[in-house]
Amino acid sequence: MKFSEQWLRDWVSPQLATQALADQITMAGLEVDAVEPVAASFEGVMVAEVVSREPHPDADKLNVCRVDDGSGETVQVVCGAPNVAVGQKVAFARVGAVLPGDFRIRKAKLRGVESRGMICSASELGLEEETSHGILELPGDAPTGESFRAFMGLDDHTIEVDLTPNRGDCLSVKGMAREVGVLNRLAVEGPEIVAVAPTHDETFPVRVEDEERCPRYIGRLIKGVDVSAETPLWMVERLRRSGIRAIDPVVDVTNYVMLELGQPLHAFDRANLHGAVIVRLAREGERLVLLDGQEITLTDATLVIADERGPLAIAGVMGGEHSGVGTETRDIFLESAFFSPLAVAGQARHYGLHTDASHRFERGVDPQLAREAAERATRLLLEITGGEPGPLIEAVSTEQLPGERRVRLRAARLEQALGKALPSAEVGEILERLGMAVETTAEEWVAWAPSWRFDIAIEEDLIEEVARIHGYNRLPVRRPAARLSLRPDHEARTPLGRLRRQMVARGYQEAVTYSFVSPELQQALLPRVVSPVLANPISSDLSVMRASLFPGLVRALMHNLNRQQTRVRLFETGLVFRGELDELHQTPMLGGLVCGTREPEGWAGGRDRVDFFDLKGDLESLLAMGGEPEAWRFEPGEHSALHPGQCARLLYRGEEAGWIGTLHPAVRGQLGLKVDALLFEVRLDALTQGRVPSFSPLSRHPEVRRDLAFLVDESLPVQALLDSIHGQAGEWLTESRLFDVYQGQGVPEGRKSIALGLTWQHPSRTLNDDEINQLVDAIVAEARQHLGAELRG
């Protein structure tokens, strides 16, 4: 809501400076976004009268004028405006005046004729953004010689307030004045609005077919209006200062009353109405050309104003082009109605519109305001355009109008919420100043919300009203006190923050992607998975819940590759969703993706590309943080999104906990990716589990190491050999280290050599060779019997 400070002060004028007034409005819960001057700075511009006009002797488009600027003598000035005329009151910049843009007026000669000053247009004075077509004409009663700035009241400010959706009652000068009056205990005095006596008895029939959506509809026929009349300058200025451009007197009056009182109005050309005005739901497929020239197809959920031939306007949103007021209009039908907020809500957005009327009706317009606004608009129209008003006609369904809302406020609840006890008289006075009827008892107040306050329905609403009018800054500041026990620290769990920091330390960047993904992308990566489909997605490519972190990470990779970022290292944590809604499983996961070179570009770095084992090393660094890396196992597996030969299932204590591998070539081709990408995904609940570190005393006795090289089938996983060794190596085996895998000369085809270093150490004595040899023999025998392994000579 944007309005002029002077206009507001015509209704109520507290003894506050502009900024103090804005601060007070903000502290009352109506946030002021901006306070700006209504006009640029200029000086030396006076109200003057054109007393003569002669053609310029050497220029067809120039005139030589003499103006009376109140100085006692007329001043000669050359003017090129086509609309300058004798007897006009104009804005005249004297020699020495400074106009916006620091433009100084000096004596000059134009085609040999002296000019001492300038007759100004609105744009030259900063009152219009576009270049004016002629000079600014002032009213005939403008006092010659008075400062133009003072005459126009340009030492004014526009105040722009960002209202929350529940405060539709403040979308008018009247509404803002009510608030300022309440805050300052001042009476609000607006223009006197009296009923206009009809001068003829002709009416136009109205039929409301949907009383639930339109419980009140008021209309009036005004005959013989002059739409070519000039809108008064004072009204044009007030509209401009409220961010609305003047169009014609009829439209200007309806806009003015809407800004002043908060009631949107609409005027129809009587000549384009046929039969009756009908308020009804649109019929599916009906079409309407709006005032902005846009043609739309209406749905059967849209409330329209129609006649016997078809729709004329979308109720509460925008009128139609063919029934609007034009230059040939002579008779108008003035509409003032109350539309239910639910009837208008969403209609403007559905058709890609947003209008001042829909903005107000969606938030709620005072249902008792329609008649007052119609009378006010009629009076202004008669003053500007003339005409003959007919009687007001009204179609009303009192049962469908919003009823009285009785709200109870308990004194104990108010004190508990505010942290202080307020005098009963002060609370009652605040509620009454807000326009409520109040009944007071020793323990509570019962208030009846006024018709313009749609947001007051429950006790908490009254508490908010009392708090903001009393003053938030006057409420006590009390810090909550509570006896809190220390939160237990689960030492066996690895905090998510530590996992994140570890990934960052290894060169990854954290990604945050939507929980919704493209159905095509998820189908490509996880063709057999089931996850919920959204009924109302924010966009068509975000219409299913993600069943894995892979789709979001792959989409982030594609986004980066499309922007020439060829080395990508991302990780993400979040929920994944599997199953139908009635049996939905939500699992927290941590996923990662790498692509590009192993090291960043540099003079000492190579250009080797990252591979499976690089990503596996990063993942193992996370697994080791739990303190029990032996609980994790990697096994060959198959995953629809991963390369069958470069894919592993991750097990934690024997249960599946995640996957790691290279993106499947078929998926990569389907997505148009030209480079390999490697991914992993692990359950967070398993990743954060671990064990509490415990101290083991260091042995004083020497270690014994044996290196064994086994020939095994090339398809045998190393883990299987390690499991066999650990089963036979005894309790004093402290380390088993794989230090070589070899295939080539000296190794039969189809076989591979695996070299392991085994270390034993006893805590209290030295192990002898016989003991170690027995263990080694048992290891070799077990590996030969169950794995087909042989010691390599």
Side-chain angles (χ1 to χ4, degrees):
M1 173 65 184
K2 190 176 183 180
F3 58 91
S4 157
E5 179 188 356
Q6 284 185 0
W7 195 359
L8 175 68
R9 289 185 182 274
D10 286 347
W11 287 70
V12 58
S13 186
Q15 298 300 309
L16 296 172
T18 301
Q19 190 57 53
L21 176 62
D23 293 342
Q24 185 185 65
I25 293 172
T26 296
M27 287 303 297
L30 311 174
E31 184 180 356
V32 174
D33 269 357
V35 178
E36 298 176 347
V38 301
S41 176
F42 60 82
E43 59 184 35
V45 181
M46 316 301 294
V47 176
E49 181 180 356
V50 179
V51 296
S52 70
R53 169 190 169 185
E54 300 291 341
H56 192 288
D58 295 320
D60 295 338
K61 294 184 179 181
L62 298 179
N63 296 291
V64 180
C65 303
R66 299 197 71 84
V67 300
D68 177 9
D69 64 354
S71 61
E73 60 179 24
T74 60
V75 181
Q76 178 174 289
V77 60
V78 177
C79 179
N83 63 326
V84 64
V86 175
Q88 278 180 340
K89 294 294 180 68
V90 296
F92 177 66
R94 293 171 171 170
V95 172
V98 179
L99 300 187
D102 201 27
F103 178 67
R104 187 174 296 276
I105 303 299
R106 296 181 173 85
K107 290 182 181 180
K109 282 191 176 184
L110 299 177
R111 295 289 183 90
V113 176
E114 184 179 54
S115 179
R116 294 186 293 143
M118 184 173 77
I119 302 176
C120 301
S121 66
S123 59
E124 289 166 339
L125 296 171
L127 304 182
E128 286 183 2
E129 292 184 4
E130 299 178 0
T131 302
S132 304
H133 298 297
I135 61 170
L136 178 63
E137 298 183 47
L138 304 182
D141 59 356
T144 300
E146 183 177 344
S147 165
F148 172 77
R149 193 172 189 89
F151 169 71
M152 292 291 290
L154 295 180
D155 293 325
D156 185 16
H157 296 83
T158 59
I159 300 176
E160 187 169 1
V161 180
D162 184 14
L163 296 172
T164 51
N166 65 313
R167 292 310 306 270
D169 62 294
C170 290
L171 287 168
S172 65
V173 175
K174 181 180 181 179
M176 292 303 306
R178 271 195 305 251
E179 287 293 303
V180 174
V182 170
L183 294 170
N184 294 281
R185 290 183 167 84
L186 295 175
V188 177
E189 298 178 358
E192 183 181 4
I193 300 176
V194 296
V196 175
T199 59
H200 63 83
D201 58 1
E202 185 176 347
T203 62
F204 195 81
V206 171
R207 186 168 76 249
V208 178
E209 295 182 357
D210 194 328
E211 294 181 340
E212 181 181 356
R213 290 178 171 83
C214 179
R216 169 166 280 146
Y217 190 95
I218 290 175
R220 166 174 270 158
L221 185 62
I222 305 176
K223 302 171 64 176
V225 297
D226 179 11
V227 294
S228 65
E230 287 278 338
T231 302
L233 186 59
W234 62 267
M235 183 178 288
V236 172
E237 266 298 288
R238 283 187 170 177
L239 292 174
R240 180 186 73 83
R241 298 177 195 188
S242 300
I244 295 180
R245 181 174 59 88
I247 298 174
D248 65 54
V250 177
V251 174
D252 294 346
V253 166
T254 58
N255 284 336
Y256 181 84
V257 174
M258 178 186 68
L259 291 173
E260 184 179 63
L261 303 180
Q263 171 70 52
L265 304 164
H266 187 67
F268 297 96
D269 187 338
R270 167 63 182 83
N272 294 324
L273 302 180
H274 303 278
V277 168
I278 308 167
V279 185
R280 61 171 172 83
L281 287 176
R283 301 182 181 98
E284 191 70 39
E286 284 187 315
R287 301 183 68 81
L288 175 65
V289 179
L290 299 173
L291 283 172
D292 61 1
Q294 175 185 353
E295 185 176 9
I296 60 171
T297 300
L298 300 168
T299 67
D300 58 7
T302 303
L303 188 69
V304 297
I305 312 299
D307 63 7
E308 300 293 353
R309 294 188 177 182
L312 304 170
I314 302 178
V317 179
M318 184 180 287
E321 183 179 56
H322 301 307
S323 61
V325 174
T327 56
E328 304 300 320
T329 300
R330 292 295 174 265
D331 304 330
I332 64 171
F333 180 75
L334 182 66
E335 168 194 280
S336 181
F338 171 73
F339 301 111
S340 165
L342 292 178
V344 181
Q347 292 300 322
R349 287 187 295 277
H350 175 77
Y351 295 108
L353 305 170
H354 181 78
T355 64
D356 290 325
S358 67
H359 189 74
R360 286 163 172 80
F361 278 124
E362 286 177 347
R363 287 154 176 77
V365 173
D366 184 354
Q368 306 300 327
L369 185 61
R371 179 176 289 272
E372 180 184 351
E375 296 288 7
R376 174 64 167 158
T378 301
R379 178 68 64 187
L380 291 171
L381 283 169
L382 297 181
E383 292 175 358
I384 299 170
T385 66
E388 301 174 11
L392 278 180
I393 58 171
E394 180 176 18
V396 61
S397 172
T398 54
E399 297 81 8
Q400 300 294 342
L401 285 171
E404 287 187 336
R405 281 156 291 135
R406 179 180 179 272
V407 187
R408 174 170 164 255
L409 174 60
R410 294 164 293 166
R413 178 71 182 92
L414 179 66
E415 181 178 353
Q416 178 190 36
L418 302 188
K420 68 183 292 188
L422 298 182
S424 177
E426 180 182 352
V427 175
E429 181 201 12
I430 287 174
L431 297 177
E432 288 175 353
R433 285 177 11 230
L434 286 165
M436 304 182 198
V438 182
E439 289 182 0
T440 304
T441 66
E443 297 180 352
E444 67 178 16
W445 300 267
V446 178
W448 281 264
S451 59
W452 59 84
R453 290 301 298 270
F454 280 73
D455 60 316
I456 295 178
I458 59 176
E459 185 175 34
E460 283 71 16
D461 297 329
L462 293 183
I463 293 173
E464 178 187 0
E465 293 301 301
V466 171
R468 69 185 190 84
I469 301 303
H470 175 72
Y472 293 126
N473 54 347
R474 296 174 60 192
L475 297 178
V477 177
R478 295 181 181 173
R479 294 173 177 82
R483 295 183 178 180
L484 303 176
S485 59
L486 293 175
R487 186 176 64 181
D489 185 7
H490 300 286
E491 294 183 60
R493 298 188 66 83
T494 305
L496 179 57
R498 282 188 60 197
L499 297 174
R500 285 179 169 138
R501 289 192 291 273
Q502 175 70 4
M503 293 298 289
V504 172
R506 296 186 74 88
Y508 287 74
Q509 292 180 307
E510 184 171 11
V512 180
T513 67
Y514 283 110
S515 298
F516 322 122
V517 296
S518 163
E520 294 79 15
L521 180 57
Q522 182 146 292
Q523 178 68 19
L525 292 165
L526 307 162
R528 293 179 296 277
V529 78
V530 176
S531 65
V533 178
L534 303 181
N536 297 295
I538 56 178
S539 69
S540 60
D541 60 344
L542 296 172
S543 59
V544 297
M545 303 293 289
R546 66 186 178 193
S548 165
L549 296 180
F550 286 172
L553 290 170
V554 169
R555 181 168 178 166
L557 169 66
M558 297 167 66
H559 180 87
N560 280 273
L561 292 177
N562 290 338
R563 285 154 182 80
Q564 293 77 50
Q565 300 299 315
T566 57
R567 185 175 187 270
V568 179
R569 301 172 75 86
L570 300 173
F571 79 95
E572 180 176 17
T573 61
L575 291 174
V576 300
F577 309 87
R578 295 201 174 190
E580 300 293 351
L581 279 176
D582 53 351
E583 296 183 358
L584 184 64
H585 297 282
Q586 305 180 50
T587 309
M589 305 289 284
L590 185 147
L593 178 148
V594 293
C595 176
T597 58
R598 179 173 292 126
E599 299 291 339
E601 183 178 4
W603 66 271
R607 302 295 296 170
D608 296 339
R609 300 194 70 79
V610 69
D611 61 21
F612 177 89
F613 296 102
D614 293 313
L615 183 63
K616 184 171 180 282
D618 292 333
L619 177 55
E620 287 177 329
S621 76
L622 294 179
L623 307 183
M625 295 178 71
E628 50 175 355
E630 69 280 359
W632 296 89
R633 296 174 64 90
F634 292 85
E635 289 187 352
E638 291 188 3
H639 189 286
S640 58
L642 302 176
H643 194 301
Q646 300 179 37
C647 170
R649 177 189 291 109
L650 191 59
L651 302 179
Y652 177 68
R653 296 177 180 172
E655 294 185 2
E656 183 178 305
W659 290 88
I660 181 173
T662 304
L663 188 63
H664 199 295
V667 175
R668 200 184 72 189
Q670 186 176 345
L671 299 178
L673 288 172
K674 298 180 180 179
V675 293
D676 278 331
L678 298 105
L679 308 97
F680 75 82
E681 184 177 47
V682 191
R683 285 197 345 253
L684 263 179
D685 61 341
L687 199 56
T688 56
Q689 289 185 35
R691 66 182 174 201
V692 178
S694 59
F695 174 73
S696 296
L698 298 177
S699 175
R700 298 180 179 181
H701 301 278
E703 295 178 342
V704 179
R705 172 167 170 151
R706 294 286 189 271
D707 291 343
L708 303 177
F710 291 95
L711 290 174
V712 298
D713 291 340
E714 63 179 355
S715 60
L716 182 74
V718 172
Q719 187 65 51
L721 182 59
L722 289 173
D723 291 342
S724 174
I725 290 172
H726 291 160
Q728 300 297 322
E731 59 180 317
W732 311 125
L733 181 71
T734 58
E735 184 179 31
S736 57
R737 185 180 297 276
L738 172 67
F739 63 85
D740 184 53
V741 177
Y742 172 72
Q743 285 180 284
Q745 185 176 359
V747 175
E749 188 174 352
R751 307 278 277 178
K752 62 183 175 182
S753 170
I754 297 176
L756 298 164
L758 306 178
T759 303
W760 288 269
Q761 187 177 33
H762 198 284
S764 59
R765 64 182 177 85
T766 301
L767 295 170
N768 59 50
D769 288 342
D770 290 340
E771 291 175 308
I772 299 301
N773 290 337
Q774 289 178 10
L775 293 173
V776 170
D777 291 343
I779 290 171
V780 172
E782 176 71 14
R784 179 182 296 115
Q785 179 179 353
H786 291 95
L787 302 178
E790 298 178 3
L791 270 182
R792 183 181 175 196

